[in-house]
Amino acid sequence: MRWIWMVALCSMLCWPVGAEAYNVYECPHGGGAETWNNNQSDILQIDRNGFPSGSAQLNLFIEAINRWENIPGSNLNIRYNPNHANADGNVYWSDLTSEIAWISDEDMVSIQGESNLGVAFGFADLSCNIVAFDILFNAEKNFDYSPPQPPTTSNLKSEYNGYSFLNTALHELGHMSLDHTTFYDIMTTNAREGGCPDPGNHPERTGPDSRKAMRDLYPASGLETDLAVTSCYVKN
């Protein structure tokens, strides 16, 4: 889940529009898709109290960062600091600090109107350069912090004891530039989309469309393509 707001420098909101088979956040005043300047993110300040050194949640969040960074043909550098002492779960619209923290379910509902697993907020300037990005996770959800699990043969859905924290982190990080998609992909919402079965949380992998989006938004010198198309398994 993501909300998009503008900082004080901006005069209007950036609304999501479709692009290719994926959806990006694009400013309506002609600035283009919202991206990090020079393919490099602000430093994500990870709350050291909620993500202690060596903890499973910190390791999985860093794993999610690495997965977005390592898409072939994309040149995105996501910087982070796992020792931030001041993250309090409050989103400050003008502090220009990118915070990763936990909030209560009550606060999540007050922000989103519903009890979501996580929420991401992006702040961009008039040139559609992202200047800050916050992710808040719901501290009262039953997250599974285990490594990726293999899918079952019956439904091709990965099985977890609770909501996969890795999948949730991957989804929220994807909102740095991508909106929800109707394809069966890490950017699919929790609800049924595009005729695909409800996965319970998020599909595990970045699909061809999300990878293509990152190559388009953050191109590297090398050419990389996906031969497959995004698809989903529907049980008869």
Side-chain angles (χ1 to χ4, degrees), residues 67-90:
R67 290 196 184 189
W68 282 115
E69 276 193 329
N70 294 331
I71 292 175
S74 174
N75 184 30
L76 174 61
N77 177 25
I78 304 175
R79 303 182 298 166
Y80 63 91
N81 167 31
N83 195 36
H84 186 48
N86 300 316
D88 53 11
N90 292 318

Side-chain angles (χ1 to χ4, degrees), residues 22-194:
Y22 51 83
N23 290 331
V24 300
Y25 287 100
E26 187 169 333
C27 289
H29 50 70
E34 293 180 358
T35 56
W36 291 104
N37 194 27
N38 297 320
N39 295 356
Q40 180 171 269
S41 80
D42 186 23
I43 298 177
L44 306 183
Q45 303 290 349
I46 304 174
D47 176 28
R48 68 184 183 193
N49 293 318
F51 296 82
S53 177
S55 65
Q57 59 264 39
L58 177 60
N59 291 339
L60 288 173
F61 190 80
I62 294 173
E63 168 69 14
I65 288 175
N66 291 337
R67 290 196 184 189
W68 282 115
E69 276 193 329
N70 294 331
I71 292 175
S74 174
N75 184 30
L76 174 61
N77 177 25
I78 304 175
R79 303 182 298 166
Y80 63 91
N81 167 31
N83 195 36
H84 186 48
N86 300 316
D88 53 11
N90 292 318
V91 176
Y92 298 105
W93 311 117
S94 60
D95 70 351
L96 302 185
T97 299
S98 298
E99 291 190 354
I100 313 300
W102 296 89
I103 58 172
S104 68
D105 186 66
E106 181 181 2
D107 287 340
M108 181 67 73
V109 172
S110 69
I111 292 172
Q112 287 291 95
E114 54 186 326
S115 178
N116 291 317
L117 301 177
V119 61
F121 297 84
F123 305 83
D125 61 21
L126 283 173
S127 297
C128 278
N129 294 316
I130 302 171
V131 294
F133 183 77
D134 296 341
I135 297 177
L136 305 177
F137 293 100
N138 192 328
E140 296 172 44
K141 291 298 184 180
N142 179 30
F143 281 111
D144 188 321
Y145 298 103
S146 61
Q149 304 296 306
T152 64
T153 56
S154 61
N155 61 8
L156 299 185
K157 168 191 167 184
S158 296
E159 297 297 329
Y160 293 87
N161 181 25
Y163 297 104
S164 167
F165 183 78
L166 175 60
N167 291 358
T168 305
L170 279 166
H171 178 92
E172 300 303 343
L173 279 167
H175 280 314
M176 280 199 267
S177 294
L178 303 180
D179 194 6
H180 292 130
T181 179
T182 56
F183 291 87
Y184 197 57
D185 181 88
I186 197 65
M187 297 312 297
T188 303
T189 62
N190 288 350
R192 292 177 182 269
E193 297 281 357

Side-chain angles (χ1 to χ4, degrees), residues 8-29:
L9 297 174
C10 302
S11 59
M12 58 178 58
L13 293 174
C14 286
W15 296 101
V17 297
E20 305 269 341
Y22 51 83
N23 290 331
V24 300
Y25 287 100
E26 187 169 333
C27 289
H29 50 70

